[in-house]
Amino acid sequence: MAILITGGAGYIGSHAVLELLRGGFDVVVVDNLSNSHEAAIHRVAELAGKPVPFHKVDIRDRDALDRVFGTTPIEAVMHFAGLKAVGESVGQPLRYYDNNIFGTIVLLEVMKKHGVRTLVFSSSATVYGDPASVPITEDFPLSAVNPYGRSKLFIEDMLRDLCRAEPEWQIALLRYFNPSGADPSGRIGEDPNGIPNNLVPYIAQVAVGRLPELAVYGSDYPTRDGTGVRDYIHVVDLVLGHIKALEKLATRPGLVTYNLGTGRGYSVLEMVEAFGRAAGRPIKHRLAPRRPGDAAECWSDASRAERELGWRATRGLDEMCRDVWRWQSNNPKGYA
Ligand code: NAD
Ligand code: WQD
């Protein structure tokens, strides 16, 4: 029996496929390659020393998805496929709702048809909206401040409704904080399309000379150095949390929700410093106005996952920066 990975060619999905293979699981990957490269799949296969069954399929294509379930015995799904750029979602809300929400509905219906009722879903700390305080626990109030966030929140609501109506489902909602890092091999990593929106890939591209300098968005926040504070979690720790969640689901039906974060925050300037150390060169940056919609601080209380899953992030900031730098310096243009 295999684990189906939707979005398995993407940044987090490719790392999940690799760790599952290393853990002895069988996998099958579907991805429409709208924000990724098939090369990632080949590299994962190379690193794992095993072939990776891959189908270029859009999860909204019911017949194609049905064929995947019809030809491979699947026991559970890790659902990473989705669009994730906040700014883009503001300009193209319908595209986000169609891809993320409708895509998930089709996936759930096809799963149900084939008797597969175990799902690990990629949610996001974005469902906490603008948090009133930090650290953030799973029972903080939920809200959405942009269409991307609304798509995640709606999918969470839909999955809660589904578990209430059909208690045999086993669903984990995993709320990621700020995933970063890369497999230590330097063969796979984050390869954003165009100019990165997120801090770490932006810094990495400055370090490698693809971008001239980083704009630090806001230096007057009520934080220790005035810049925004976030909970950066190494992608390998993150995907190991998914495997723990899958094991947890095997022991009980119903829906569980976990923050996947480190439980501590770093400021933008601390990230610039740390990356400079890893790359052995200073990261050129300038202070700039705040970016609209940004919270001053967003970091997790990740103790529920530690208590109930026996999982916690073990990879620190320097290791994360070193791994990103190995990926970026070995692949200055990503997979291209
Ligand atoms: P990514 O864009 O690298 O990976 C997503 C993958 O899904 C891509 O390979 C893309 O081609 C594929 N995809 C998108 N729509 C599809 C569709 N309709 N059918 C088939 N494949 C489709 O993004 P990522 O950073 O790896 O994120 C994975 C998941 O984690 C997403 O759902 C994202 O919202 C969520 N998440 C990411 C972050 C983050 O900062 N990276 C934070 C919180 C949550
Ligand atoms: C981090 C910090 C910026 C870029 C986003 C999504 C969230 C989740 C993770 C998916 C902030 C500052 C950034 C730059 C900067 N994704 N920054 N200069 O905003 O915490 O979260 O990604 O679910 O939903 O909103 O991450 O990496 O964009 O920003 O100063 O060029 O870096 O202001 O303080 P964010 P980020």
Side-chain angles (χ1 to χ4, degrees):
M1 298 281 272
I3 315 291
L4 174 72
I5 315 294
T6 74
Y11 168 46
I12 303 171
S14 59
H15 286 84
V17 173
L18 180 56
E19 291 309 325
L20 283 163
L21 290 172
R22 284 175 173 157
F25 293 87
D26 287 329
V27 300
V28 54
V29 174
V30 301
D31 197 302
N32 65 0
L33 303 179
S34 60
N35 195 39
S36 51
H37 300 264
E38 198 171 335
I41 300 286
H42 300 313
R43 291 190 184 187
V44 167
E46 206 178 277
L47 289 168
K50 301 179 190 168
V52 177
F54 170 63
H55 302 271
K56 185 171 180 244
V57 160
D58 190 303
I59 55 166
R60 292 165 295 179
D61 182 343
R62 190 181 303 268
D63 293 340
L65 203 53
D66 193 55
R67 280 194 293 277
V68 174
F69 277 82
T71 49
T72 315
I74 291 169
E75 60 177 318
V77 176
M78 284 190 190
H79 178 30
F80 297 94
L83 299 173
K84 62 162 183 179
V86 170
E88 189 180 71
S89 81
V90 174
Q92 305 175 28
L94 296 182
R95 181 168 162 240
Y96 270 68
Y97 294 137
D98 179 53
N99 195 83
N100 293 4
I101 298 177
F102 176 62
T104 302
I105 293 173
V106 174
L107 172 67
L108 293 169
E109 286 172 346
V110 175
M111 285 175 69
K112 193 172 159 174
K113 175 176 168 193
H114 291 271
V116 182
R117 286 190 173 74
T118 305
L119 176 79
V120 178
F121 174 61
S122 297
S123 190
S124 165
T126 190
V127 300
Y128 298 116
D130 190 0
S133 60
V134 278
I136 299 169
T137 60
E138 288 84 352
D139 38 30
F140 266 39
L142 305 179
S143 69
V145 290
N146 53 62
Y148 166 70
R150 219 171 327 277
S151 76
K152 290 289 172 192
L153 190 50
F154 189 83
I155 294 168
E156 281 206 0
D157 281 332
M158 191 163 77
L159 294 172
R160 281 185 282 267
D161 286 341
L162 181 60
C163 275
R164 267 192 291 269
E166 300 177 12
E168 63 276 22
W169 281 85
Q170 300 169 303
I171 297 182
L173 308 179
L174 302 183
R175 297 180 180 149
Y176 312 162
F177 279 69
N178 291 61
S180 187
D183 184 72
S185 64
R187 293 289 290 157
I188 59 173
E190 187 170 11
D191 180 17
N193 239 329
I195 297 184
N197 300 305
N198 295 115
L199 179 67
V200 175
Y202 202 109
I203 293 178
Q205 292 196 14
V206 172
V208 83
R210 272 175 75 176
L211 291 168
E213 65 174 4
L214 171 77
V216 176
Y217 295 141
S219 50
D220 57 350
Y221 285 110
T223 60
R224 48 188 173 268
D225 61 17
T227 67
V229 170
R230 296 291 185 274
D231 185 343
Y232 298 92
I233 173 170
H234 196 296
V235 66
V236 176
D237 281 328
L238 184 81
V239 300
L240 292 175
H242 289 61
I243 297 177
K244 290 287 193 183
L246 202 56
E247 288 167 2
K248 170 86 177 176
L249 291 179
T251 67
R252 63 185 293 289
L255 181 137
V256 291
T257 305
Y258 296 106
N259 283 342
L260 294 185
T262 66
R264 74 159 294 176
Y266 289 101
S267 74
V268 175
L269 291 179
E270 288 166 342
M271 295 304 288
V272 165
E273 275 298 306
F275 205 93
R277 280 197 300 277
R281 57 188 77 169
I283 307 302
K284 201 166 173 234
H285 61 281
R286 68 180 161 86
L287 303 183
R290 292 181 179 192
R291 185 173 65 178
D294 274 356
E297 294 199 43
C298 178
W299 47 280
S300 66
D301 177 329
S303 57
R304 185 192 280 179
E306 176 155 13
R307 226 172 27 247
E308 296 185 11
L309 301 179
W311 169 91
R312 69 186 174 83
T314 61
R315 291 161 180 79
L317 181 63
D318 289 317
E319 184 171 357
M320 193 154 69
C321 291
R322 273 200 306 274
D323 289 338
V324 174
W325 179 238
R326 197 174 299 111
W327 154 252
Q328 186 72 69
S329 54
N330 289 341
N331 306 269
K333 298 200 168 139
Y335 290 108

